[in-house]
Amino acid sequence: MQPPVPFAPANTWNDDMSKGIKMNHQPQGGRARGAMPFQKYKGFQPIDLPDRQWPSKVLQQAPRWCSVDLRDGNQALIDPMNVDEKLRLWDLLLEIGFAEIEVGFPAASQPDFDFIRRIIDEGRIPPDVSIQVLCQAREELITRSVEALEGAPNVIFHLYNSTSELQRRVVFGMDRQGIIDLAVQGTELVRQGLEGFASNVTFEYSPESFTGTELDFAAEICTAVADTWGATPEDPMIINLPSTVEMATPNIYADQIEWFCRNFPRRDSAVISLHTHNDRGTGVAATELGLMAGAQRVEGTLFGNGERTGNCDLVTVAMNMFSQGVDPTLDLRHMPKIREVSEAVTKLAVHERHPYAGELVFTAFSGSHQDAIKKGMSQVDRSSWEVPYLPIDPEDVGSSYKETVRVNSQSGKGGVGFLLEEHHGLALPRDLLVEFSSHVQQLTEQLDREVKPDEIYQALLDTYGSDSGPYRLMDYDLLTGRNEDQRCVARVEVSDNVVTIDGEGSGPIEAFVNAMVETLNEPLTVLGYQENALGTGSDAQAICILAIDDPETDSRCYGLGVSRNTITASLNAIVSALNRRWAKS
């Protein structure tokens, strides 16, 4: 079967769903139709693969991973890494568990050459790790690359030359046979250069610009290379099929990979590898579909740094598998550290909303999201994770449950309640939470920003620990009353006058309430009470939250007290509630 040339004139769409879908849109917003010069671009022609199998496949195991952060990622930096920065990233990649790491382009860069020699000469390469170098199919570059690799325990020599119709025509001015000859000659030179190497050697070949290469030609040139190298099922080579430029939707790339796997005559002697770029923003999706289509290996960078819009984001692909119950075989439990090291050596920030790794990726500001997260986390069985809006347990990648919810003007009672409970151990009664949330809403609007957990807690104290009223507790004594009751004698300031009150009850709170009622003729009924410890040890304090009745509005009025003494906290909460009730009247 001969595949079509991978380009077709624009707007030559077929009604067959496998051939393409024509999108008809009406002009909007008064803009002239066709203001963008879309006519200058060609639509990518789908692959003729009507019996494609990949759509029904499910990824059930991780591929072989190869980090190219030190080469592809490094060459895309404004300020490339120095040797010390490369060493720091190298150590991180080993810690994560990469067994294949592309360490540079030694023939094109002296710093790359020096770095490779350093990790070899200083014995920094573990015995189960292969270092990979990239090299064009040119004799002097191959010789230099072989020199850089001398003494490494395991090496992958990655040879490439460009094969697309566009590159053949515009860059090289060669026909198909001329491009094949380049690849074959380069392969022979690599084989000769590595003869006698004590290292374990794997050969890798990339028909660079594969996505723009006719599939029959990609299979032909890779077959010639495999024959020249002498690949066997017992000692396979790597055939890397890069999306050097992402030219079509991810399903097209998957079709190309499946077509190649079916039609490559030396399939049993090759590991099929992917190396996607992100020009269309779908590098991760293309990689996942390419694995479904039969690939076994993936090259990429930790957070997708690479030429133009970047490489495949290995963290996202691995974590996507993890979220589906598949062992990613990479250790990403310390994501904040991984992000910190990557940002330090690349000078590129990881976006706050980057999947799995961004600072805000587990954070909800929406009130309905916060409420669902709060309820889900109160019920979750951590051995079988199911929480609304959280596809994975944040703790699995070194994040805190406390960071899943933050509060701004878009938030609601769920977020406020979650932060008070997670950061301060306070589970407010529902009606108090509803009431207090309106105060927090006003605070966010007043500040015009997010409010922090400590600011919310302080607002709670300021709002419900009220001493701006006619009542203030000066001091009190607890004595033994009649019939084994408790007696409370207290001094209370009432509108600048100090009054001594005296009452008895079954406990100190009831005795104080009775004293207030009997002495001041102040109706008072405690409707609800809760007490929490703040902190531990000798500095621990108690916080008491209680509600009293408000006969005029037939509602509750809440007060709050804080003290190292639980009884003092409770009595202050009663006084605060009275002051708030008085302020409402």
Side-chain angles (χ1 to χ4, degrees), residues 377-397:
M377 292 186 70
S378 69
Q379 302 176 38
V380 67
D381 173 4
R382 286 180 169 79
S383 66
S384 180
W385 183 259
E386 282 187 314
V387 173
Y389 301 111
L390 293 179
I392 68 164
D393 183 344
E395 195 171 78
D396 290 338
V397 288

Side-chain angles (χ1 to χ4, degrees), residues 71-87:
R71 197 279 304 170
D72 205 342
N74 186 55
Q75 76 179 36
L77 298 176
I78 298 172
D79 298 312
M81 290 177 272
N82 59 38
V83 171
D84 288 338
E85 288 170 332
K86 280 194 166 191
L87 284 172

Side-chain angles (χ1 to χ4, degrees), residues 10 193 266 315 395 427 445 469 551-552 572:
R266 303 296 303 278
V315 167
E395 195 171 78
E445 293 172 354
E552 292 188 10
N572 278 329

Side-chain angles (χ1 to χ4, degrees), residues 109-248:
S109 166
Q110 188 63 42
D112 278 11
F113 187 96
D114 293 341
F115 170 72
I116 295 168
R117 291 312 316 165
R118 183 167 176 180
I119 60 175
I120 294 173
D121 294 338
E122 294 181 1
R124 290 176 175 264
I125 307 173
D128 59 345
V129 172
S130 296
I131 62 169
Q132 176 173 307
V133 296
L134 185 70
C135 186
Q136 291 171 305
R138 290 165 49 188
E139 182 174 5
E140 69 279 11
L141 302 182
I142 292 170
T143 300
R144 181 67 167 164
S145 298
V146 169
E147 181 184 349
L149 291 170
E150 184 69 45
N154 305 290
V155 302
I156 300 173
F157 197 108
H158 184 182
L159 184 77
Y160 77 95
N161 67 311
S162 198
T163 58
S164 69
E165 185 278 334
L166 178 63
Q167 293 256 17
R168 297 197 311 266
R169 172 167 45 87
V170 173
V171 179
F172 297 101
M174 289 185 176
D175 59 11
R176 287 187 175 193
Q177 189 56 52
I179 296 296
I180 292 174
D181 291 342
L182 276 180
V184 167
Q185 291 164 11
T187 302
E188 290 176 340
L189 289 169
V190 173
R191 188 177 61 180
Q192 293 167 12
L194 294 175
E195 282 180 352
F197 244 51
S199 311
N200 295 316
V201 175
T202 300
F203 183 61
E204 175 176 354
Y205 174 71
S206 287
E208 199 230 0
S209 63
F210 165 76
T211 45
T213 301
E214 306 92 331
L215 288 176
D216 64 324
F217 180 52
E220 181 182 1
I221 193 169
C222 289
T223 301
V225 167
D227 289 343
T228 302
W229 179 258
T232 66
E234 295 74 29
D235 188 16
M237 64 177 293
I238 297 169
I239 296 291
N240 190 55
L241 302 176
S243 175
T244 307
V245 177
E246 193 173 33
M247 305 176 75

Side-chain angles (χ1 to χ4, degrees), residues 4 12 37 60 107 144 223 233 266 316 326 392 435 482 486 575:
T12 58
Q60 297 181 322
R144 181 67 167 164
T223 301
R266 303 296 303 278
T316 299
V326 175
I392 68 164
E435 179 184 309
R482 296 162 296 181
Q486 190 106 51
V575 173

